[in-house]
Amino acid sequence: MAEAHSNFAHCEALVREADPDRYWASLFAPADKRPHLHALYAFNFEIARVREAVREALVGEIRLQWWRDALQGEARGDVRANPVAAALDDTIVQFRLPRQSLVDLIDARIFDLYEDPMPSLNDLEGYCGETSSSLIQLASLILARGTNPGTADAAGHAGVAYAITGLLRALPIHARQGQLYLPADILERHGVVREDIVTGRGGPGLASALADLRAVARRHLERARALRTTIPDAAKPAFQPIALVEPYLKAMERRDYDPFHTMVDIPQWRRIWALWRGPF
C-alpha cells in the first residue's frame, strides 16, 4: 500500500508541475478518483515529452516501444519500478481501461518524433482524436467506475478542440524545433510554405491559416457542447479542461499576439475561474 501511495503521489506532483490545466481540472473530480486521473495524465505527459527528451528519433521510438511493451505485458525488467507505469497499471486493472486505446495513443505520438508535415486537416483531427480525445474518454471511464459512460462522441469533439488549441499555443516551440502540426492543405490554401514557419517569417497568409484553425477548434467545441446531455454528471470532470479553449483562443486574437514569440497563457485566477464555471 505504501508503494502504491508513493507511485500515485509521484504522478500527482508530475501532473501539477507539467500539466497544470489538467491538474486543476482534476480537482473537480471525486477525491478517490483523482489519483487515477493523475496516473493517466502523468502517462500522457511521459509520452508527449519523449521528443524533447531525446536527440534522435530512433531513440524516441525505443522509449515509446518500452511503454507499448509495458502496457502489453512484454517489457523487460521491472516495469513496477517506474512509478508512472505502476500507477497506470493499477488504474487500468481497477477500472478495466482498454489497453489498446493507450497503445493507440503511443502510436499516434510517433509523429512527434519526426519533422514530417501534417498532411491535412483530416489527419490533424485524427491525431488529436487518438491523443487528446482518447484521454478524455479514458478519464470518463475512470470517473464512471469502469462502465461505459456513453461519452465517446462528445469526447471526440472535445479532445480535438482542446488539442488544436494546445498546438496553436505551442507554435513558437514547434517552429523552433522544425515541427509542423499546421495542416498542409490549410497552409497551401493561404500560400504558406514550411519555411515561412520554421524560419519565423510568417506573413498575412499564416495569420489567415491560424484563424481557420481557431475556427475549427471552435466548431468542435460547439459540437461537444451540443452533446452535453450525453455526458453523465459523474464523467463531467473529464471534460473540465475544455473550459479553457475559448479563453486561450481569445488570447490569440489580441492585437499584440505574435504566433512565433507569444506562448499564449492566461492568469491562474482566470484559469481556475473558467474551470469552476465549466465548459457547459
Side-chain angles (χ1 to χ4, degrees):
M1 284 293 293
E3 183 179 1
H5 178 77
S6 176
N7 291 336
F8 284 112
H10 173 86
C11 292
E12 178 181 359
L14 182 61
V15 174
R16 181 167 189 165
E17 175 66 25
D19 194 350
D21 287 357
R22 288 193 176 95
Y23 172 77
W24 290 112
S26 73
L27 299 184
F28 292 87
D32 64 326
K33 303 297 191 310
R34 292 174 201 162
H36 302 286
L37 293 176
H38 295 153
L40 177 65
Y41 297 154
F43 160 76
N44 177 66
F45 170 70
E46 291 287 358
I47 300 303
R49 76 183 186 108
V50 167
R51 160 82 187 221
E52 297 179 3
V54 301
R55 293 185 177 181
E56 298 180 6
L58 180 58
V59 177
E61 293 223 30
I62 292 171
R63 289 201 180 192
L64 292 180
Q65 184 61 48
W66 185 92
W67 281 102
R68 196 181 289 113
D69 290 345
L71 287 168
Q72 296 172 334
E74 300 172 2
R76 296 179 180 179
D78 187 6
V79 174
R80 301 291 301 186
N82 182 305
V84 176
L88 179 65
D89 189 61
D90 289 342
T91 298
I92 290 170
V93 172
Q94 181 169 338
F95 297 98
R96 302 184 297 280
L97 300 185
R99 292 178 184 268
Q100 188 58 48
S101 295
L102 295 162
V103 172
D104 291 343
L105 187 154
I106 293 171
D107 290 343
R109 286 290 187 177
I110 291 176
F111 179 86
D112 300 353
L113 303 178
Y114 298 91
E115 297 177 0
D116 299 331
M118 185 67 72
S120 68
L121 176 59
N122 187 61
D123 289 301
L124 175 61
E125 290 171 323
Y127 170 88
C128 295
E130 294 287 0
T131 53
S132 180
S133 300
S134 180
L135 207 64
I136 293 175
Q137 181 64 4
L138 289 164
S140 297
L141 281 167
I142 292 171
L143 293 166
R145 300 181 182 276
T147 61
N148 184 358
T151 55
D153 288 345
H157 290 297
V160 174
Y162 188 76
I164 289 178
T165 302
L167 291 171
L168 290 172
R169 291 179 65 213
L171 179 59
I173 298 172
H174 293 152
R176 289 194 295 270
Q177 294 175 339
Q179 289 178 286
L180 195 58
Y181 290 91
L182 307 182
D185 55 351
I186 290 181
L187 294 179
E188 183 178 356
R189 185 188 313 155
H190 294 285
V192 181
V193 296
R194 182 178 184 276
E195 286 69 26
D196 291 334
I197 297 172
V198 298
T199 62
R201 188 163 56 232
L206 178 61
S208 299
L210 296 179
D212 280 2
L213 281 172
R214 290 195 296 270
V216 171
R218 284 189 168 107
R219 284 200 298 271
H220 282 284
L221 178 62
E222 289 308 311
R223 289 173 186 171
R225 286 173 170 167
L227 291 165
R228 61 184 176 273
T229 58
T230 68
I231 305 171
D233 288 343
K236 285 182 179 178
F239 290 81
Q240 213 78 18
I242 69 169
L244 299 172
V245 168
E246 189 59 41
Y248 283 140
L249 293 177
K250 285 183 178 178
M252 295 177 206
E253 293 167 342
R254 294 196 301 252
R255 289 186 177 182
D256 61 347
Y257 171 63
D258 180 344
F260 294 114
H261 299 99
T262 305
M263 184 63 183
V264 169
D265 206 353
I266 56 178
Q268 182 170 299
W269 70 266
R270 282 191 58 202
R271 187 183 309 175
I272 295 173
W273 172 250
L275 290 170
W276 182 81
R277 293 185 63 189
F280 306 119

